Amino acid sequence: MPGTGKQLHGLRIGWIRAGEELIHRLVQSRYSQDLGTPILEQLIALEMLGNYDELLRFRAGQLAEGRGNLESLLRGVLPEWEVPHVAGGLCTWVNLGAPVSSQLALAARDRGLLLGAGPRFGIGGVFERFLRVPFSYPLEDTRQAVDILSSAWHSLDPGVSVHDDFAPALV
């Protein structure tokens, strides 16, 4: 497949997945604009991709372990939360059982933990009952994050309403 200019560990490589006709047109147009194909970088990427299945299995194992650790810690420390068992990804959406996600994210931030409150991922205050929690970190970091979440959760004042009129951000 033709390269696109994607970066992988500092190497400029990439691949396009498209129909045969589009690939053919892109290859033809590339000849008039390309100053040289990065042969060395493409050979290195090819060597790295040669272990792709092994790398994928390794990372999937890490994420499955991280997911299990997070689920276990949250269920043990915050049993009132609904912690789903997700099939994949890098995070889970925890149902807090109350519309306090923004308040909890602010309390966690004050304790040094940055998480995106549910409403950051929707409009009009939706997802206020949910918190997006990653499970892609090592056990010690996850344990510390859950301890901070527990402390922040127990500090909340249910009578206080938090307005999340802050600018959208990616977390």
Side-chain angles (χ1 to χ4, degrees), residues 71-132:
E71 289 172 359
S72 176
L73 289 167
L74 286 175
R75 287 182 181 136
V77 175
L78 296 158
E80 62 271 34
W81 289 7
E82 184 181 320
V83 182
H85 179 77
V86 295
L90 300 172
C91 63
T92 189
W93 282 86
V94 177
N95 185 339
L96 304 172
V100 294
S101 181
S102 296
Q103 188 180 357
L104 179 59
L106 290 173
R109 183 191 67 189
D110 290 344
R111 290 163 171 77
L113 178 63
L114 299 176
L115 291 173
R120 290 227 177 203
F121 302 95
I123 55 174
V126 298
F127 307 128
E128 186 61 63
R129 293 179 165 276
F130 297 91
L131 185 69
R132 181 178 179 260

Side-chain angles (χ1 to χ4, degrees), residues 99-162:
V100 294
S101 181
S102 296
Q103 188 180 357
L104 179 59
L106 290 173
R109 183 191 67 189
D110 290 344
R111 290 163 171 77
L113 178 63
L114 299 176
L115 291 173
R120 290 227 177 203
F121 302 95
I123 55 174
V126 298
F127 307 128
E128 186 61 63
R129 293 179 165 276
F130 297 91
L131 185 69
R132 181 178 179 260
V133 185
F135 51 77
S136 55
Y137 292 92
L139 177 58
E140 243 350 275
D141 293 343
T142 301
R143 187 174 282 129
Q144 183 178 7
V146 170
D147 288 345
I148 291 171
L149 276 173
S150 177
S151 170
W153 175 255
H154 291 103
S155 76
L156 296 184
D157 181 353
V160 174
S161 176
V162 175

